[in-house]
Amino acid sequence: MQNQFKINCGAIAAVLALAAPGVVHADAAKDLGVAGRALTFLENGPAGKATLGVVFDPSKPASVAEKNALMAALGSGYAAGTLTLVGKAIEADAVGGAAGVQALFVTGGVNYGAVGSAAKGKKLITIGSDMACVRSGACAMGVETEPKVSITVNRATAAAVGASFKAAFRMMITEI
Amino acid sequence: MNKTHLLAGAAAGLALAAALPASAQSIDYGSLEQLFGEPVTTSATGSPQRSTEAPADMQIISADEIRRSGATNLQALLQRVAGVDALNSSAGQTDVNVRGYNQISSPRLLVLVNGRQVYLDHYGMTIWATIPVQLEEIRQIEVVKGPNSALFGFNAVSGVVNIITYNPQFDDTDVVTARVGTNGFSQGSLVSSFKLGEALSARLSVGASRQDEWDRVGTPVTVDQVHDPRAVTANLDAVAQLGASTTLRVEGSWANVQESLMATGTSYSVAKAITNSEKATLTSDTRFGTIQAQVYQNQLTAKYAIAGGINWENTITVASLQDLFKVGTAHTFRVGAEYRHNTLNIAPMNTSDVSYDVVSGSGMWNWQINPKLATTVALRVDKMSLERSGPFLPRSPNANNALWDRDISKTSANATVAWRPTDADTFRLSYGRGVQPPSLIELGGLELPIAAGPMTLDLVGNPRLKPSILTNYELAYDHDFAPIEAKLGVRLFQQDWKDIKTSISTATLDFFPTLTTNGGFTQINGLDSKAKGVELTASGKATPELGWRVDYTWTEVKDQPFAGVNTVLRNVAFAQTTPKGRGNIGLDWVKGPWEADANLHYVGDYQFYHMVGGLLAPVDAHVSLSGRVGYKMENGVTLALAGQNLLNERQKQTRGLEAERRIQFSVSKSW
């Protein structure tokens, strides 16, 4: 009985271990799709090919895993509506020196307060899937895909980086 | 509004656009749908909303559903919508209404194409074949149930059918289709999108169809009362980017239709309808919100082979201005103003006109109180000023143009509270007050003398008619069983109708003859009526390939005729002519290049006006099956076999011509 329990636990653990990266990857791709399409509703936003900085904390395994999943989804170019996104991994403490990116995706676990301040200095729109980042004002836009797509925009932060969304888009999202 | 000036202004705007950079400002339904993972609609409030969050009872027919259905016309698609009633009276014509109160030449449904009314405004009815769209260019059909005239204005009383076509600025739609079928059916259409410079996009569509009329066997209908339905339509839709924040959309259409129409429920006549339309819409995102200015004109020539030939020329011009804006983070407002001028010749003498001007003001306020609770309120006030000019029939009982010098002012309202206690549950409580004004024919567009022995009696319009008012109360509940990909919906509704307008009855004189005037007949406000009902819907996915849907709507109508009014003789016996039950069971299946769809449509027992004498006679409950099987090849060619009324060679669905089984084979190529 005990052996059977161990086998079952082992099997479940193996399944979870195999499944976990896939789950992270799938969620990251969904977040990326929503974030990328949302960027197409920016007034004077990026068009054609744009570089998305993926901000991560190398000391946080979850942040690194999300970064890896996002970069894998971005691949050599991720099509989101009329926009093709390419990725550039950026360590959190290097955001102030980041160049050649049009937007930042802040992974979970990152000290988003510092990242948000650096992004405002560079007039870069910040996107994250952690709503606490949006509520704090560090992220201009938050995206959720479960149980359904939901987008939240912090109007003050968006205004601070010069981001203005089209009217039709604003009617369909949550603004705080 | 002068048609030449309208087109010249639009052409100037398009010319200006050719050199400016492209940037999307008008609503890109496709991108928003892909972003949010569900259809987007503007039909509930005027602002874009997810279909599941719109504060209105709405069902959307998607482009995929249209293609899979195998339907060859719009009215066949609408019969698949829960709660929709359809009177299939001939091969080409169906009268459609929502949740009962359907009748021949049904005047209570507002039908729009991209916001332009396409019902025929001489009577408020819809001849579906005149609508100048091909099924392949429709992005979605939004069916709003219940009164919504606070947003859309006149005729949005029983519901709104808003047909949204692809926008050539965002959607590249190119498809050619040919269909042939039994009973002489043939249909062809072409839809082609193209770019003229970076800032100018356009889509052209043309289509033609014909089929044999249903057989006259078993009815008193004579050969001269019917005509094989034929239609030719064309439409041009062009969008120009006038600047980073401004677009101009110009649409023009033409249709020529000839078919049999049931008239007043007891006879048929051949009708020919030629329609033209021109429309220009300027939309701009400004610091004050999204401002939209729109002007359009519809022209109708309608010829009926009755009483020696009746020809109506109807022109309606509509100009509107609206601003949609958000205040703070939780409040969305829409304010608007509209002017319309509607004019009709008085047939058959054609020396006089009846017309009206309408000035309207409207407002909408949507308040997202918190993430789970939202409320929407809309109000609209219309002032309609009526006028008649020209001579009367000799000895007419209404021979005084001053009778038409009157104003009608009415208020429409909609209010909804939506509560979403969980991500899976939505409750919605709504109130609607809709206004159905009299049509120009009812107000005087017909002055027809008829011989009655030694006397002459006149059929005339009634300038004293009051608008009919519908008040609707509804409680709706929706549950999303996400783990099993299924949805359930329940609606409880109550309708209170006031001052319903009747048809003319020649059984009772409305004007008694005098020494100087003939006796006569006219339309009157003849009854109040109440209806209550329940609508149940469920849909889901049994497997990734197999979808299912079920709906059933039960209604009970109680008429309250005014003193002396015989609702049967005046064709308003809605308690008897509304079936208590109607519903659908459907399946759809997609696998690789194959797709299939089947729909069983049920209509319960009801009574309808007998072709001889006009008294009520039963129409038994019936079930009809429609379906399609299609195969899409890699080169963009699709082959399909579709059919309607497949269970019976002939089926009595009204008291008129019997619906026939029809089967079509189609080939289409998209690129």
Side-chain angles (χ1 to χ4, degrees):
Chain A
M1 187 63 152
Q2 197 176 31
N3 286 344
Q4 187 63 46
F5 176 76
K6 282 181 181 175
I7 290 168
N8 285 344
C9 286
I12 291 167
V15 168
L16 289 175
L18 286 170
V23 169
V24 170
H25 190 279
D27 291 343
K30 284 183 182 175
D31 291 347
L32 194 59
V34 172
R37 287 186 184 279
L39 288 173
T40 66
F41 290 94
L42 274 172
E43 300 280 9
N44 302 315
K49 196 170 182 179
T51 302
L52 180 68
V54 180
V55 182
F56 71 103
D57 183 341
S59 68
K60 304 277 180 61
S63 175
V64 172
E66 188 178 355
K67 180 264 293 182
N68 290 340
L70 284 164
M71 292 302 291
L74 285 159
S76 58
Y78 183 92
T82 55
L83 202 59
T84 300
L85 292 171
V86 293
K88 181 177 182 179
I90 301 172
E91 293 191 16
D93 56 8
V95 168
V101 296
Q102 281 74 50
L104 297 173
F105 194 103
V106 183
T107 59
V110 166
N111 177 5
Y112 47 71
V115 170
S117 297
K120 283 174 189 167
K122 297 184 73 68
K123 298 287 182 187
L124 282 173
I125 186 169
T126 42
I127 308 166
S129 55
D130 182 353
M131 287 303 119
C133 179
V134 185
R135 286 192 293 272
S136 74
C139 288
M141 179 164 65
V143 297
E144 294 173 295
T145 57
E146 297 295 341
K148 64 178 185 178
V149 171
S150 175
I151 297 170
T152 305
V153 166
N154 186 310
R155 292 209 314 166
T157 308
V161 299
S164 172
F165 288 95
K166 289 171 182 169
F169 179 79
R170 286 188 58 209
M171 304 287 175
M172 298 188 63
I173 61 168
T174 303
E175 291 182 306
I176 58 174
Chain B
M1 176 62 61
N2 184 300
K3 177 176 161 183
T4 310
H5 288 170
L6 180 64
L7 287 175
L14 292 175
L16 177 65
L20 294 169
S23 170
Q25 287 304 322
S26 52
I27 291 173
D28 182 355
Y29 284 83
S31 292
L32 288 170
E33 180 177 334
Q34 287 173 337
L35 173 59
F36 290 102
E38 61 178 290
V40 170
T41 177
T42 62
S43 284
T45 63
S47 66
Q49 293 171 296
R50 299 170 187 232
S51 58
T52 55
E53 295 182 358
D57 192 357
M58 180 187 300
Q59 189 168 334
I60 293 181
I61 307 172
S62 69
D64 283 343
E65 289 169 322
I66 293 170
R67 184 192 64 253
R68 280 201 307 260
S69 71
T72 59
N73 55 46
L74 291 162
Q75 58 268 38
L77 287 164
L78 293 171
Q79 292 174 59
R80 299 156 65 103
V81 175
V84 164
D85 284 298
L87 285 168
N88 297 307
S89 54
S90 69
Q93 179 61 4
T94 297
D95 285 293
V96 176
N97 215 51
V98 178
R99 294 173 177 167
Y101 296 95
N102 203 5
Q103 65 185 103
I104 296 303
S105 304
S106 173
R108 297 183 184 82
L109 188 70
L110 175 61
V111 185
L112 305 163
V113 172
N114 298 331
R116 177 179 72 85
Q117 68 179 52
V118 291
Y119 69 88
L120 305 181
D121 222 329
H122 64 325
Y123 191 70
M125 63 183 292
T126 303
I127 297 180
W128 297 94
T130 64
I131 297 176
V133 296
Q134 308 307 313
L135 296 181
E136 293 82 0
E137 64 183 320
I138 298 174
R139 167 174 286 287
Q140 62 195 34
I141 302 173
E142 302 169 354
V143 182
V144 184
K145 301 169 192 175
N148 213 345
S149 58
L151 180 66
F152 290 104
F154 289 164
N155 257 40
V157 272
S158 83
V160 180
V161 174
N162 198 4
I163 300 165
I164 308 295
T165 65
Y166 288 110
N167 183 329
Q169 186 177 19
F170 310 115
D171 306 306
D172 194 8
T173 314
D174 300 283
V175 58
V176 59
T177 303
R179 289 188 180 90
V180 293
T182 57
N183 304 86
F185 184 93
S186 61
Q187 187 178 56
S189 66
L190 169 69
V191 180
S192 181
S193 307
F194 45 93
K195 301 275 184 190
L196 300 168
E198 283 190 19
L200 183 57
S201 312
R203 188 188 66 256
L204 174 69
S205 67
V206 294
S209 65
R210 74 162 306 282
Q211 60 181 309
D212 296 343
E213 184 51 279
W214 292 338
D215 203 299
R216 294 178 291 110
V217 64
T219 72
V221 179
T222 57
V223 67
D224 60 325
Q225 291 179 331
V226 294
H227 193 286
D228 293 339
R230 297 171 187 210
V232 183
T233 66
N235 187 72
L236 179 65
D237 183 353
V239 181
Q241 193 74 41
L242 299 184
S245 303
T246 305
T247 57
L248 174 66
R249 188 171 189 178
V250 177
E251 296 161 85
S253 73
W254 171 83
N256 188 334
V257 171
Q258 191 160 13
E259 62 183 25
S260 325
L261 295 182
M262 188 182 256
T264 68
T266 56
S267 66
Y268 278 78
S269 73
V270 177
K272 185 178 180 69
I274 300 170
T275 63
N276 300 278
S277 73
E278 306 80 30
K279 178 180 143 196
T281 308
L282 189 69
T283 306
S284 185
D285 274 357
T286 72
R287 56 185 295 200
F288 305 107
T290 301
I291 296 175
Q292 185 179 85
Q294 181 168 280
V295 58
Y296 68 82
Q297 187 174 83
N298 294 343
Q299 302 104 30
L300 164 69
T301 299
K303 301 178 179 179
Y304 293 81
I306 51 175
I310 288 181
N311 296 349
W312 274 302
E313 301 282 343
N314 175 218
T315 302
I316 180 163
T317 306
V318 180
S320 62
L321 182 67
Q322 72 164 39
D323 186 15
L324 180 66
F325 56 97
K326 201 166 177 179
V327 175
T329 58
H331 301 275
T332 302
F333 293 90
R334 187 183 64 84
V335 292
E338 185 180 282
Y339 165 77
R340 59 175 56 205
H341 177 73
N342 195 7
T343 184
L344 180 73
N345 64 297
I346 296 174
M349 57 183 181
N350 302 331
T351 54
S352 305
D353 294 313
V354 60
S355 65
Y356 60 68
D357 293 280
V358 179
V359 179
S360 310
S362 63
M364 182 281 299
W365 171 35
N366 174 254
W367 179 20
Q368 189 70 46
I369 300 168
N370 61 48
K372 294 182 177 178
L373 189 64
T375 181
T376 305
V377 178
L379 280 175
R380 175 174 168 132
V381 178
D382 291 278
K383 181 183 178 186
M384 180 167 134
S385 302
L386 189 61
E387 184 183 352
R388 186 194 185 283
S389 61
F392 290 85
L393 290 169
R395 295 175 55 83
S396 171
N398 259 346
N400 181 2
N401 278 329
L403 292 173
W404 277 261
D405 293 336
R406 60 181 286 237
D407 294 339
I408 300 172
S409 295
K410 289 292 175 188
T411 302
S412 307
N414 284 89
T416 299
V417 177
W419 177 48
R420 298 182 182 86
T422 72
D423 288 327
D425 298 288
T426 302
F427 293 88
R428 198 172 53 247
L429 184 63
S430 58
Y431 162 87
R433 182 181 194 270
V435 177
Q436 183 203 7
S439 70
L440 285 176
I441 288 180
E442 293 169 321
L443 288 167
L446 179 69
E447 292 183 10
L448 180 67
I450 54 174
M455 301 172 62
T456 298
L457 299 172
D458 293 344
L459 305 183
V460 295
N462 183 356
R464 300 177 186 82
L465 273 178
K466 293 186 286 188
S468 304
I469 305 293
L470 169 60
T471 307
N472 187 73
Y473 309 89
E474 182 169 327
L475 177 63
Y477 170 68
D478 289 294
H479 186 83
D480 187 353
F481 298 92
I484 58 169
E485 289 198 65
K487 293 181 179 177
L488 171 72
V490 182
R491 277 101 181 92
L492 307 176
F493 55 87
Q494 163 92 34
Q495 301 179 26
D496 288 346
W497 284 91
K498 297 289 183 194
D499 296 321
I500 292 178
K501 295 174 279 100
T502 73
S503 300
I504 287 175
S505 167
T506 54
T508 309
L509 278 173
D510 297 306
F511 300 97
F512 286 96
T514 68
L515 286 174
T516 57
T517 61
N518 293 334
F521 312 102
T522 192
Q523 293 90 350
I524 60 171
N525 294 105
L527 71 158
D528 295 339
S529 186
K530 291 179 184 292
K532 57 187 177 184
V534 180
E535 184 177 298
L536 305 171
T537 58
S539 62
K541 285 277 190 187
T543 71
E545 297 84 17
L546 183 64
W548 58 272
R549 56 191 183 273
V550 182
D551 67 75
Y552 180 79
T553 304
W554 173 84
T555 53
E556 183 172 82
V557 175
K558 289 187 177 173
D559 295 331
Q560 299 165 330
F562 298 163
V565 173
N566 184 319
T567 57
V568 176
L569 297 178
R570 287 191 177 270
N571 292 311
V572 285
F574 296 114
Q576 293 85 18
T577 60
T578 297
K580 280 192 164 50
R582 76 284 286 155
N584 295 279
I585 299 174
L587 293 172
D588 57 80
W589 174 79
V590 179
K591 187 163 190 177
W594 288 95
E595 59 182 11
D597 185 285
N599 194 80
L600 268 177
H601 180 63
Y602 164 79
V603 178
D605 293 323
Y606 69 103
Q607 299 182 67
F608 210 65
Y609 310 100
H610 199 285
M611 295 291 294
V612 179
L615 297 179
L616 292 173
V619 177
D620 293 336
H622 52 271
V623 174
S624 56
L625 173 68
S626 58
R628 173 183 176 269
V629 177
Y631 179 83
K632 183 169 185 178
M633 296 187 265
E634 290 182 355
N635 59 6
V637 172
T638 299
L639 308 175
L641 192 64
Q644 302 83 37
N645 298 318
L646 292 169
L647 298 179
N648 298 282
E649 188 177 347
R650 296 161 52 80
Q651 185 177 57
K652 186 180 284 296
Q653 296 182 353
T654 69
R655 292 297 310 181
L657 304 178
E658 294 187 356
E660 295 179 357
R661 178 189 294 137
R662 300 273 156 117
I663 296 171
Q664 304 89 31
F665 174 73
S666 68
V667 181
S668 65
K669 160 80 176 171
S670 57
W671 66 95

